[in-house]
Amino acid sequence: MAFHHALKIQEEVCIGCTHCIKACPTEALRVIGGKANLIAERCVDCGECMRVCPVNAIIIEEDDFSKIFNYEYRVALAPSVFIGQFPRNITSRKIYSGMLEDGFTHVYEVEHSTGILKELINNYLAKNPDIRPVISSFCPAIVRLIQVRFPSLVGNILPVKAPLDLAAIAFRKKLADEGIPPEQVGLFYITPCAAKIAAVKSPVGEKKSPINGVINLNTLYNRIYSVIRREEKAYCVVPEKEQLLPDEMVWTLTGGEAKHINGRCLSIDGMSNAIEFLEKLENGTVGNFDYLEMRACDESCAGGILSTNNRFLVSERLHNRAAQYFIDKNEGKIVDNKSILANRDYIIENASLGTIEPRSIMKLDEDMVQAMRKMKKIEKITNFLPGIDCGACGSPTCRALAEDVVQGRARTSDCVFVSIKVKGGESMNQVVDYTEEIWGKDRFRNMLPE
Amino acid sequence: MSGIGSGITGEMKEMTYAFPIEGGDFIKAGHASSNIKKILNQLSLDPAIIRRIAVAMYEAEVNVVAHAYRGSMKVFISPEKIRVRVEDEGPGIPDIEKAMQEGYSTASEKVREMGFGAGMGLSNIKKNTDKLDIRSTINKGTVVEMTTFTKPKEA
């Protein structure tokens, strides 16, 4: 099976350090030949590797901006965190007019669909009292993490599409209703993260995404920011701009989703927090929850790896804009023109996700007897590795190296300690003596011949 | 992974692991079950079966933490079945049948304050295992043996 990954390692930039292999929550990276290598079926596109890379060798591929001009109607599907990048004195109208100036014909915020989604989630909870807790399908990195690391929880994932897909369906329908031929419409998502790109290019639980392309949020931010600065005085008027409601503006921030869901809900953000909780959930040790909002990034989408500005500032700015809504409303500046409600039934009909399959990366072998044999070998190898998880072999831990050896991906002699022993340059006793000062007495006793 | 003592008997017929359990330490409760769950995941057991075993193991582990002084969790893995044996040194269970009832609990106030001791432990274990055997001696300890078959058994 082929997995599309948005994360790309630039070989010429990678210095082959071990930061990324240690940061990866699914042990998907190895250093081979002095460069980081990705094991495709393990990667969940969370971007943790990108955060820790000291030389920015990991990049996120995106569609070329000129691709939008392949379409007569060029729709930017923007997440609210895009608006949150801009200081408050730049109005959302100004930002949108900048986007139109830059080449889009329409701008539509993804979160317009969350009102309908809220209903769908609460209905699903009411109709399926046996499935608890239901885990949000919002964050594609979390969905993939569950598939590969917590396969027994796959059945808990909400089988309803994410706001992005619902908004795409809604806007496509709106334009079709206006008599625009579907093939002339190009929907482009402005993404704050790599996982959403993977979700568009190889969707889980649906055959094909309704989205035509993806533009990285920071790329667009830079473009728009310069457009706005250039046109400080005159900006074009945005026709019939729809207003996001305050709750919709903050949906993608931590807690923005859970607060609308009936019952006992939790909001969890950050990859390590999510893993810790899923671990407990799998053991059945966390009590009875109805719904889990779970996002891979700290501060949710405001903390996406393509979010240009600091996540706390982005979050604060969005909350401020949400508050501003009420002021504007009181002053009569806001027109209630939510077009999505006209197609409510159509969206609901098309909102279901297909089956989400588990695809465990932990299995040593499909066959249990073979897996047991491999396990035995792994334990044997682990027993004479140093156990300091230094990463010098290119695997993230000694245990991971042992697994790699048994799976034919590495050799035991990739371990520098073992290598010294095998090549016979220095006696192992000497090596152990040298390292005692750092690692303590008898630390590597297990590596000495009996 | 600490505390592993793996052994295999015969021609890959059975693997065994043992983990200690400390009585009264609620922070570490779940450590043994988590480790065994990891192993079962690697051995490509059906995720649904792993989840049942994980829940049963955790309940049994918490029982030791809540009621006993110390104990151990041993798991015997074969392609046909997973057998988990939880042994403890503790007060023992005076009336096993009663303890099996939902809601029955002898947990102390302190244990309940920590969110445990709802009296669902043993009945929950029963629900999640194919075979359950409990033996207990007052003032000595309890042995809980849970067996789960890896393939659905024909009735």
Side-chain angles (χ1 to χ4, degrees):
Chain A
M1 207 197 297
F3 297 98
H4 182 94
H5 293 299
L7 294 161
K8 295 276 175 282
I9 300 156
Q10 303 182 88
E11 281 223 347
E12 65 282 10
V13 184
C14 175
I15 53 168
C17 66
T18 57
H19 287 83
C20 62
I21 63 171
K22 296 268 179 195
C24 178
T26 57
E27 295 189 339
L29 287 152
R30 301 288 183 275
V31 175
I32 302 166
K35 305 289 170 190
N37 275 263
L38 191 69
I39 305 171
E41 69 269 22
R42 288 177 165 246
C43 173
V44 298
D45 284 282
C46 66
E48 292 297 306
C49 51
M50 206 175 150
R51 288 184 206 278
V52 297
C53 180
V55 293
N56 297 322
I58 300 172
I59 54 160
I60 294 185
E61 56 143 30
E62 63 185 316
D63 289 312
D64 194 76
F65 191 79
S66 66
K67 196 183 156 190
I68 71 166
F69 295 103
N70 294 345
Y71 299 89
E72 191 97 357
Y73 298 88
R74 303 174 289 275
V75 182
L77 287 174
S80 65
V81 288
F82 180 64
I83 305 303
Q85 303 296 321
F86 294 88
R88 236 178 102 184
N89 61 347
I90 299 180
T91 62
S92 60
R93 277 182 85 84
K94 204 172 207 173
I95 298 162
Y96 297 133
S97 71
M99 289 165 84
L100 298 181
E101 192 73 14
D102 205 33
F104 289 105
T105 59
H106 297 78
V107 177
Y108 192 61
E109 284 126 320
V110 168
E111 291 81 9
H112 279 297
S113 65
T114 55
I116 292 173
L117 178 59
K118 184 178 6 180
E119 265 183 70
L120 287 166
I121 300 173
N122 282 322
N123 278 343
Y124 181 79
L125 286 172
K127 281 194 192 133
N128 296 280
D130 299 338
I131 304 174
R132 287 295 185 275
V134 171
I135 305 171
S136 172
S137 59
F138 175 87
C139 175
I142 293 291
V143 170
R144 282 162 171 73
L145 176 74
I146 292 173
Q147 282 183 295
V148 302
R149 257 190 82 167
F150 301 95
S152 78
L153 297 174
V154 160
N156 291 59
I157 300 172
L158 176 78
V160 176
K161 288 174 187 165
L164 159 62
D165 294 294
L166 298 179
I169 292 168
F171 207 73
R172 229 171 229 299
K173 179 78 166 79
K174 177 179 172 344
L175 294 183
D177 290 348
E178 288 169 15
I180 294 169
E183 66 278 6
Q184 290 182 15
V185 177
L187 297 185
F188 290 85
Y189 178 58
I190 316 304
T191 184
C193 69
K196 293 259 170 62
I197 299 179
V200 168
K201 307 274 172 175
S202 49
V204 174
E206 53 180 335
K207 284 200 179 66
K208 197 179 174 299
S209 165
I211 292 146
N212 303 83
V214 185
I215 308 288
N216 289 358
L217 192 147
N218 58 352
T219 308
L220 192 71
Y221 175 82
N222 292 336
R223 292 178 73 101
I224 302 306
Y225 202 67
S226 53
V227 170
I228 291 172
R229 290 183 62 151
R230 229 180 16 244
E231 315 222 336
E232 204 62 74
K233 288 180 198 103
Y235 59 90
C236 63
V237 178
V238 189
E240 51 163 319
K241 172 73 196 69
E242 288 186 43
Q243 264 289 348
L244 267 190
L245 300 172
D247 280 344
E248 296 171 337
M249 278 182 223
V250 299
W251 181 276
T252 59
L253 303 180
T254 303
E257 180 182 352
K259 70 174 171 195
H260 300 289
I261 310 308
N262 302 332
R264 200 172 164 209
C265 304
L266 266 188
S267 310
I268 297 164
D269 62 0
M271 203 57 168
S272 56
N273 294 331
I275 289 169
E276 184 189 331
F277 200 83
L278 291 168
E279 191 78 47
K280 285 190 189 308
L281 187 60
E282 216 179 26
N283 292 355
T285 64
V286 286
N288 302 317
F289 280 93
D290 293 296
Y291 193 73
L292 297 179
E293 169 198 304
M294 206 173 256
R295 282 93 182 260
C297 296
D298 188 17
E299 292 292 312
S300 294
C301 295
I305 33 173
L306 294 170
S307 179
T308 317
N309 287 305
N310 177 278
R311 57 188 179 276
F312 301 105
L313 291 180
V314 171
S315 171
E316 191 241 4
R317 283 170 176 170
L318 272 179
H319 281 294
N320 284 342
R321 281 184 193 265
Q324 181 67 32
Y325 174 93
F326 294 108
I327 298 166
D328 291 350
K329 182 140 202 188
N330 283 340
E331 291 174 6
K333 283 189 202 158
I334 289 169
V335 201
D336 189 10
N337 58 352
K338 273 192 117 35
S339 65
I340 197 165
L341 295 175
N343 286 316
R344 184 178 164 277
D345 292 346
Y346 175 82
I347 295 160
I348 290 174
E349 259 167 54
N350 291 287
S352 296
L353 272 183
T355 324
I356 300 170
E357 299 287 348
R359 45 181 190 91
S360 170
I361 49 166
M362 293 166 294
K363 287 182 191 176
L364 295 173
D365 202 290
E366 287 300 325
D367 176 66
M368 192 174 166
V369 177
Q370 282 303 330
M372 285 168 76
R373 280 209 180 96
K374 286 182 177 174
M375 181 68 107
K376 185 70 196 157
K377 279 189 203 154
I378 289 166
E379 280 161 7
K380 219 167 145 189
I381 296 169
T382 309
N383 276 340
F384 67 85
L385 291 176
I388 55 170
D389 298 340
C390 66
C393 60
S395 297
T397 62
C398 292
R399 171 89 186 183
L401 174 63
E403 289 177 15
D404 287 347
V405 170
V406 169
Q407 300 291 24
R409 284 196 293 259
R411 290 162 312 196
T412 315
S413 57
D414 291 345
C415 170
V416 288
F417 291 84
V418 172
S419 162
I420 291 164
K421 189 174 172 178
V422 170
K423 288 182 182 139
E426 308 239 13
S427 89
M428 200 57 200
N429 287 313
Q430 270 174 297
V431 176
V432 169
D433 283 349
Y434 296 151
T435 50
E436 259 186 6
E437 248 177 72
I438 303 163
W439 294 103
K441 200 163 155 36
D442 292 340
R443 175 66 196 256
F444 300 125
R445 207 176 31 193
N446 63 331
M447 302 192 71
L448 294 174
E450 282 169 30
Chain B
M1 259 184 252
S2 63
I4 284 191
S6 152
I8 290 195
T9 53
E11 205 359 62
M12 207 49 64
K13 284 198 183 113
E14 193 169 72
M15 295 175 87
T16 59
Y17 294 88
F19 296 90
I21 305 171
E22 231 173 282
D25 188 348
F26 282 95
I27 289 169
K28 280 195 208 141
H31 184 77
S33 349
S34 268
N35 278 321
I36 294 173
K37 192 181 73 186
K38 257 181 228 160
I39 294 162
L40 297 180
N41 267 318
Q42 290 201 298
L43 296 180
S44 84
L45 246 74
D46 178 346
I49 292 176
I50 296 177
R51 199 167 174 192
R52 291 183 70 213
I53 297 174
V55 169
M57 279 192 303
Y58 179 76
E59 289 290 358
E61 190 174 350
V62 165
N63 279 347
V64 175
V65 175
H67 300 283
Y69 317 121
R70 69 189 66 81
S72 70
M73 182 179 278
K74 279 196 191 113
V75 59
F76 306 86
I77 303 166
S78 78
E80 296 79 37
K81 60 177 190 248
I82 312 298
R83 195 156 53 91
V84 182
R85 189 185 159 94
V86 181
E87 264 185 86
D88 72 48
E89 290 168 42
I93 306 171
D95 186 341
I96 293 176
E97 224 165 277
K98 213 168 175 186
M100 296 287 289
Q101 289 166 15
E102 278 187 19
Y104 180 83
S105 177
T106 60
S108 67
E109 202 50 45
K110 195 183 141 205
V111 168
R112 284 168 198 258
E113 265 170 29
M114 306 208 46
F116 299 93
M120 302 301 284
L122 284 180
S123 59
N124 217 355
I125 292 175
K126 196 167 177 189
K127 242 184 272 172
N128 284 293
T129 48
D130 296 328
K131 223 170 101 188
L132 176 63
D133 181 35
I134 305 172
R135 274 160 292 151
S136 190
T137 314
I138 300 295
N139 293 327
K140 229 180 136 202
T142 304
V143 181
V144 176
E145 209 170 283
M146 315 176 274
T147 308
T148 308
F149 297 101
T150 54
K151 286 159 199 111
K153 255 200 136 184
E154 283 149 54

